[in-house]
């Protein structure tokens, strides 16, 4: 997918000066409210929507390819809005990703890869060690690496779904994040039970620091609608 997505971004970028300098003055002179650059972008995006509608059914049950497609679409959308000024009221790839079969598959693979990430972060040798343990002014909370990586994981998931067109779809992703928080809580509890004989030990204290850090960050996020 990156081939045709990149190609469209190149066409938009390469034609912008011509459209602004040559076509827009003609539209303005005719009293039209049409923005030539945006209309050109919208027409190309419509081609992408057709292509995605044809591609996605072929990729739905290949986790790696489907996940790659979603990643590339999200990168494309980010550049389309941030660099080329595309309007949120126009048709976008997020509408395709929001369609029921595609969306449910996206949720499923997002959860699968998040759980795999949690497995690897907790089994890492550095799981309970702070990245900043030698920098006192940075490491007041003594945050273990697994807790910081987990919160980064949640933040990345938010960043991926925040541009979905409907609140109901965003809430389904929020539900996934709540599941992951609860799963992480259970994992911490399991590790803590192994450490109860050494409640002043290094790992037990690291678990308490992790819980405190996660609770603090979630409280900070409470204002983010």
């Amino acid at each position: 997918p990156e081939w045709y997505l990149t190609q469209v971004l190149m066409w938009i970028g390469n034609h912008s000066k011509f459209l602004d300098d040559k076509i827009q003055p003609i539209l303005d002179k005719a009293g039209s409210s049409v923005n030539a650059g945006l209309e050109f972008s919208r027409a190309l995006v419509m081609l992408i929507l057709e292509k995605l509608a044809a591609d996605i059914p072929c990729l739905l049950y290949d986790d790696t390819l489907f996940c790659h497609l979603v990643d590339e679409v999200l990168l494309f959308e980010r550049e389309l809005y941030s660099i080329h000024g595309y309007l949120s009221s126009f048709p976008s790839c997020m509408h395709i990703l929001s369609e029921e079969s595609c969306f449910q598959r996206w949720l499923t693979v997002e959860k699968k890869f998040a759980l795999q990430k949690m497995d690897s972060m907790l089994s890492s040798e550095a799981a309970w060690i702070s990245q900043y343990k030698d920098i006192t002014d940075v490491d007041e909370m003594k945050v273990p690496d697994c807790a910081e990586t987990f919160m980064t994981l949640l933040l990345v998931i938010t960043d991926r779904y925040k541009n979905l067109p409907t609140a109901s779809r965003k809430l389904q992703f929020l539900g996934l994040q709540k599941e992951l928080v609860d799963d992480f809580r259970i994992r911490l509890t399991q590790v803590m039970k192994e450490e109860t004989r050494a409640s002043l030990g290094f790992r037990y204290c690291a678990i308490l620091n992790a819980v405190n850090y996660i609770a603090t960050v979630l409280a900070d996020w409470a204002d983010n609608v």
Side-chain angles (χ1 to χ4, degrees):
E2 59 268 44
W3 181 83
Y4 61 82
L5 295 171
T6 303
Q7 185 65 56
V8 163
L9 290 172
M10 283 175 58
W11 280 334
I12 291 172
N14 292 343
H15 287 77
S16 61
K17 182 171 172 55
F18 169 74
L19 291 166
D20 291 343
D21 294 350
K22 304 295 183 184
I23 304 300
Q24 193 61 49
I26 298 171
L27 293 169
D28 293 342
K29 190 174 180 180
S32 171
S33 59
V34 170
N35 181 302
L38 286 176
E39 286 303 318
F40 183 71
S41 298
R42 182 185 359 209
L44 289 175
V45 168
M46 293 304 293
L47 291 177
I48 283 182
L49 298 190
E50 285 184 38
K51 175 68 173 156
L52 286 174
D55 282 356
I56 285 174
C58 306
L59 306 176
L60 269 184
Y61 299 103
D62 185 317
D63 289 354
T64 304
L65 289 179
F66 180 74
C67 213
H68 178 64
L69 176 76
V70 171
D71 288 343
E72 291 298 329
V73 165
L74 294 176
L75 288 171
F76 169 79
E77 288 268 305
R78 191 172 301 159
E79 189 168 337
L80 190 64
Y81 286 99
S82 63
I83 296 177
H84 300 294
Y86 197 71
L87 299 181
S88 58
S89 58
F90 282 7
S92 83
C93 300
M94 299 308 280
H95 290 91
I96 294 281
L97 295 184
S98 295
E99 290 180 0
E100 186 64 25
S101 60
C102 181
F103 184 78
Q104 292 305 325
R105 191 67 191 147
W106 183 11
L107 269 181
T108 301
V109 295
E110 201 77 39
K111 182 176 181 178
K112 175 186 172 182
F113 286 115
L115 291 174
Q116 287 178 359
K117 179 72 174 173
M118 288 164 67
D119 288 340
S120 64
M121 73 175 75
L122 284 167
S123 59
S124 163
E125 290 182 6
W128 305 106
I129 301 169
S130 168
Q131 293 179 13
Y132 313 105
K133 62 180 184 300
D134 299 322
I135 314 173
T136 311
D137 56 340
V138 174
D139 194 30
E140 290 179 358
M141 298 185 79
K142 307 277 189 260
V143 184
D145 185 64
C146 64
E148 195 160 4
T149 306
F150 176 67
M151 296 314 285
T152 302
L153 173 67
L154 289 186
L155 199 59
V156 167
I157 291 174
T158 301
D159 196 47
R160 287 162 69 77
Y161 77 75
K162 68 182 181 183
N163 291 322
L164 282 166
T166 62
S168 61
R169 291 305 195 199
K170 292 179 186 179
L171 282 172
Q172 285 178 269
F173 259 102
L174 179 63
L176 168 62
Q177 289 174 306
K178 288 163 67 178
E179 281 183 46
L180 294 176
V181 170
D182 199 44
D183 188 280
F184 197 70
R185 175 190 65 80
I186 291 168
R187 291 169 190 241
L188 289 180
T189 305
Q190 290 169 343
V191 178
M192 190 172 71
K193 285 177 180 175
E194 298 169 9
E195 301 293 324
T196 47
R197 292 178 185 174
S199 55
L200 290 178
F202 164 72
R203 188 179 290 190
Y204 196 91
C205 291
I207 292 168
L208 296 179
N209 287 338
V211 172
N212 179 53
Y213 171 71
I214 291 170
T216 303
V217 174
L218 289 178
D220 289 343
W221 288 354
D223 293 331
N224 182 345
V225 177

